[in-house]
Amino acid sequence: MKNLKKYNINSNKKYKIVKGLSRVLAGTLLIANLTGCSINFKKNKGLSNNTYSQYTQSEIDSHLEFNDNESYAESNDNEFYDSLNEKIVLDELSKAIIDSDIKLNSSDIIEFINYVDTIKVDYPNSDLFNTLENFSKYKSLDKYRSTSDNIFKNGYITDQYIYNIVLKNNEQENFSKTAIMQDSDIKQICSIIAETLNYCLKNNLISDYNLLSEKIFQLKIKKFEGFSNGSYDSKTCIMGFDINKLNSDKDLLKKVVEHETYHLIQSNSLGEINNSNLDLRLGFCYKFNDSTVNSLYLKWFTEGSADMLVMNQNNIKEPLTYGNYTKHIDIIKAATLLNDNNKTNDLESLSLDFNLDNLFHYFDCKNENNKEEILNLMFSYEIISKTSGDSSREEFYKAYEKLNGEIDYKTESLFEKQLKGSIGQTLTKLFYKNLANKIKDKDVKICEIFELISVFESVLNRQTWYATTGYASIISDFMKNYTQIQKSFFEILAKKTNLSVTDLENAYNAYNSYLEIDIDELDYLSSLQKEFYNYIKNEVKDDKTYSIKYV
């Protein structure tokens, strides 16, 4: 029997709830009146249409409008949450359940896994996503094979080699005087590009050496002054930087060049564009010339991944620009990193690979329905991420308005909230299947299972704001499916412990409200998984709230 864990009381936790809602803590615990607000992200306005551009966070923020007045809030908060104004009691039965040992085997979880796989997630207006049409185009696409010489035969490239290529290409391009960059600045940028490429080579992040060689052979570098700090255009093979601004901050310059170098690796080449019906490609994100809505083209993912790859390369936690997008990637990881086949940095690294099958492998897709759901998940993130410029999000809304007339902000906001609920359902399916497989054949305590569920529900609150006034009714399908999946999971635990599902639900509600254990205590996690879930737990601590079942 495992030793009992040392619990921490959550009395000092911050709960992001709605105004007018109070919770009563039992026994000697804190009695708190809790308040909160919701935030609306309105459409981005005025962002540049550069193909792949890099902005500072302050520049992005200046083009976002925040509104603390949620238009869908219920008029009477207390009435909406009357059902929550009851005590969650940490009684002796709950304590005993929380400390219980359990061990599941394959036969215990197989029925649960099969049940979860039968749940079909409805993504509203997904008939306009063109998911299957674009996937079919991808499957019939003649994959481009570069005939370029491989310049990475020694697994390394020098900055001087890149500099010589760029200098020659720049001369042939005949840039205007205002676009010509000083020789010393070009050398500095080529040094950072070489450093980034060598990092990728060392960590096996390059999927096609010949294709990357082709793009290096065609690379040009120019300067500009404008809103963005840097950009890379695969149609011209030009990497551009506001070098006058960046030279005042060498650390920023380094990260911006790294970011654009990852776009260089992600992107197609001129040969690939000219020999297919592709308009653009970044990694597995394909944009076809003849698609009304390019749901495989995911600007949020390629930008967020480029930022995360820069973070990985420099071993830092703060993104340079696209914090909203990197948080989406972290939320997906929270549902998928319990799968031992997935490593911490795998998801963003997939953005460097043109093979869409590798994305399906990451999500452990077993059939075509699984693949369609994952593609709908990824494109829904494109919509809720408010991507601007030449994006597939704008294509979707054009298709929507062609059928339904002009969409107003209120309707758009409601629709995107519903999309968040659908995203939450898919993430829930992934999390509970991975959790069941993760604890299989291991001796664990129920508290060790509850802890990870509690963290994941905080992640889902950040995604869906399920505990915010008015949201629960908007995402009712999510609330229903989540509680049913959790109930089915608890049924497995109930059978092994001779407890009722209700007893387990009450014990979890109490644990989620009052207790926590350190992630490092979860012996069923690998060291990398502990590191990630510790990070996630800290990131979403302010989103801690009532359990979804209790709401």
Side-chain angles (χ1 to χ4, degrees), residues 431-432 450-466 478 482-483 486 490 508-509 512 540 543-550:
F431 171 79
Y432 275 98
F450 282 175
E451 175 62 21
L452 215 53
I453 294 175
S454 181
V455 171
F456 182 66
E457 288 195 353
S458 296
V459 169
L460 288 179
N461 191 38
R462 168 170 287 187
Q463 181 73 81
T464 66
W465 290 65
Y466 69 81
F478 160 73
Y482 180 90
T483 52
Q486 186 182 78
F490 283 172
Y508 172 67
N509 287 340
N512 178 69
V540 299
D543 299 304
K544 181 75 176 176
T545 182
Y546 290 101
S547 70
I548 293 174
K549 169 66 177 178
Y550 193 61

Side-chain angles (χ1 to χ4, degrees), residues 291-309:
S291 286
T292 305
V293 178
N294 282 281
S295 52
L296 298 188
Y297 187 66
L298 308 169
K299 196 171 182 180
W300 79 270
F301 183 71
T302 56
E303 292 290 5
S305 292
D307 253 15
M308 292 201 85
L309 289 162

Side-chain angles (χ1 to χ4, degrees), residues 226-278:
F227 177 68
S228 65
N229 291 320
S231 66
Y232 175 72
D233 187 345
S234 63
K235 293 182 178 180
T236 61
C237 308
I238 295 176
M239 196 177 284
F241 300 97
D242 189 342
I243 194 67
N244 294 333
K245 178 169 57 177
L246 293 173
N247 269 337
S248 64
D249 187 339
K250 295 300 183 183
D251 184 59
L252 177 61
L253 170 66
K254 181 176 184 293
K255 292 173 184 175
V256 169
V257 176
E258 289 169 349
H259 183 103
E260 299 308 327
T261 302
Y262 283 115
H263 283 324
L264 167 71
I265 301 170
Q266 291 171 344
S267 72
N268 48 15
S269 68
L270 283 175
E272 186 175 354
I273 295 174
N274 295 334
N275 289 278
S276 68
N277 68 328
L278 285 176

Side-chain angles (χ1 to χ4, degrees), residues 4-5 30 35-36 72 162 248 302 311 323 340 342 349 372 399 424 430 453 479 514 516:
L4 295 178
K5 303 297 177 184
L30 178 70
T35 63
Y72 295 101
I162 298 173
S248 64
T302 56
M311 293 161 64
D340 289 329
N342 297 333
S349 299
E372 182 182 3
L430 292 166
I453 294 175
M479 304 293 283
Y514 306 144
E516 65 178 353

Side-chain angles (χ1 to χ4, degrees), residues 38-55:
S38 57
I39 298 176
N40 254 351
F41 292 86
K42 292 188 176 179
K43 287 184 179 178
N44 293 358
K45 298 178 181 179
L47 296 183
S48 167
N49 286 331
N50 285 334
T51 307
Y52 325 121
S53 297
Q54 177 69 36
Y55 308 102

Side-chain angles (χ1 to χ4, degrees), residues 33 112 114 198 219 266 303 350 368 373 396 404 414 452 507 522 526 543-544:
N33 292 317
F112 169 74
N114 290 337
N198 288 327
L219 180 62
Q266 291 171 344
E303 292 290 5
L350 288 175
E368 296 301 297
E373 182 176 351
F396 166 78
N404 302 287
L414 176 60
L452 215 53
L522 308 185
S526 69
D543 299 304
K544 181 75 176 176

Side-chain angles (χ1 to χ4, degrees), residues 17-23 33-35 78 81 84-85 467 546:
I17 316 289
V18 295
K19 63 180 181 179
L21 172 62
S22 64
R23 69 186 301 168
N33 292 317
L34 306 165
T35 63
N78 292 325
Y81 276 97
L84 298 185
N85 291 332
Y546 290 101

Side-chain angles (χ1 to χ4, degrees), residues 129-139 282-288 293-299 302 356 359-360 375 378-379 392:
F129 289 6
N130 285 355
T131 302
L132 294 181
E133 176 188 332
N134 287 317
F135 186 35
S136 178
K137 289 179 181 179
Y138 163 79
K139 289 189 288 187
L282 284 93
F284 60 76
C285 300
Y286 289 78
K287 185 175 185 179
F288 299 100
V293 178
N294 282 281
S295 52
L296 298 188
Y297 187 66
L298 308 169
K299 196 171 182 180
T302 56
L356 191 56
L359 178 75
F360 298 142
L375 293 177
M378 298 295 283
F379 184 58
S392 50

